[in-house]
Amino acid sequence: MTVLGAVCLPQLPPERLRDLARTADAAGLDELWLWEDCFWGSGVATAAAVLGWTDRLRVGVGLLPVPLRNVALAAMEIATLHRLFPGRVNIGVGHGVQDWMEQVGARVDSPVTLLREHLIALRALLAGEQVSVDGRYVRLDAVTLDRPPATPPAVLAGATGPRSLRLCGEAADGTILTASTTPDGVREARLLVEEGRTAGGRTDPHSVTVYLLAATGPGADERLAAELRRTGDDPELGVAGDARTVAEAVQRWAEAGADTVVLQPTLDEPDPEGFVRFTAEQVRPLVT
């Protein structure tokens, strides 16, 4: 069955997050996804808060920019979340927005090399291994987590370009695709991920998560069109309408190869709590 989630955009003030999280939990939402966008707020801090405020809700962070995070620190934070809230956490890592990385002095010459080194070290640390590496960007000297998760968790990676998508297949346990991905784009990404999995000798499961821009309620068509103009995306991307219309779009992306579809509201969504209720209570029953 397709997993259905919703995004809590980082533009939502932190003091409103508890009400939204509890609304999502009570409504039965499968997953609530959070972003670590510069310079809005911490993905790990908000994830911990949401997990603590809720009882069953799964929380995804998509994604942590690896140029901002030493891999040992990332492993410590991720391990802590998994030990505190086992089975309820999905963490993704990725290149980050390069302009933002340059703003903070963290931009690297080869983002793909950094992501590869980070993924390999991160997965090994979370598996409880002692890691020593002297890479181009990642350097560790006999580092071992004292309290790794009881079971090595899946580490997801976000990607758009062909090289990064192949790397996801080779070195990550799942792939996160942006809301700029059409159903055909999901199919193409799946093929590139599989190329990477073959090259890396991977035979374990590999999930694909995709964001889907969505709007409902009064003015939905206009809000969606304005958002697509703002992002410069294909006018055919996204979906606006009632629950059945949105569910049919979710099915199209799922049939293209997405295991998890995460509905992403427009920046001007007037009712974030209503959006997660709509996703859980009206769209979820129509998605198989």
Side-chain angles (χ1 to χ4, degrees), residues 262-282:
V262 184
L263 298 184
Q264 176 182 325
T266 59
L267 278 175
D268 60 352
E269 167 58 52
D271 182 7
E273 291 84 1
F275 185 83
V276 298
R277 277 196 302 269
F278 167 77
T279 302
E281 296 176 352
Q282 298 186 47

Side-chain angles (χ1 to χ4, degrees), residues 149-188:
T151 302
V155 176
L156 313 182
T160 54
R163 290 179 63 204
S164 296
L165 286 165
R166 292 188 186 97
L167 174 59
C168 288
E170 180 182 349
D173 304 305
T175 300
I176 303 171
L177 304 174
T178 72
S180 298
T181 311
T182 63
D184 283 343
V186 174
R187 294 184 184 95
E188 292 168 9

Side-chain angles (χ1 to χ4, degrees), residues 70-113:
N70 180 282
V71 69
L73 175 60
M76 290 162 58
E77 291 182 321
I78 294 169
T80 299
L81 287 177
H82 278 280
R83 288 181 68 102
L84 287 170
F85 306 101
R88 295 181 57 202
V89 187
N90 284 320
I91 302 289
V93 298
H95 301 306
V97 176
Q98 295 306 295
D99 287 346
W100 290 340
M101 299 302 100
E102 187 166 3
Q103 274 186 276
V104 299
R107 186 168 184 166
V108 299
D109 292 333
S110 178
V112 173
T113 300

Side-chain angles (χ1 to χ4, degrees), residues 201-239:
R202 301 287 297 270
T203 58
D204 49 331
H206 189 102
S207 64
V208 170
T209 298
V210 63
Y211 297 118
L212 174 59
L213 190 63
T216 191
D221 291 310
E222 292 77 9
R223 286 189 285 112
L224 178 66
E227 185 85 356
L228 292 171
R229 286 195 299 271
R230 184 186 66 81
T231 60
D233 282 327
D234 186 333
E236 299 303 313
L237 273 170
V239 57

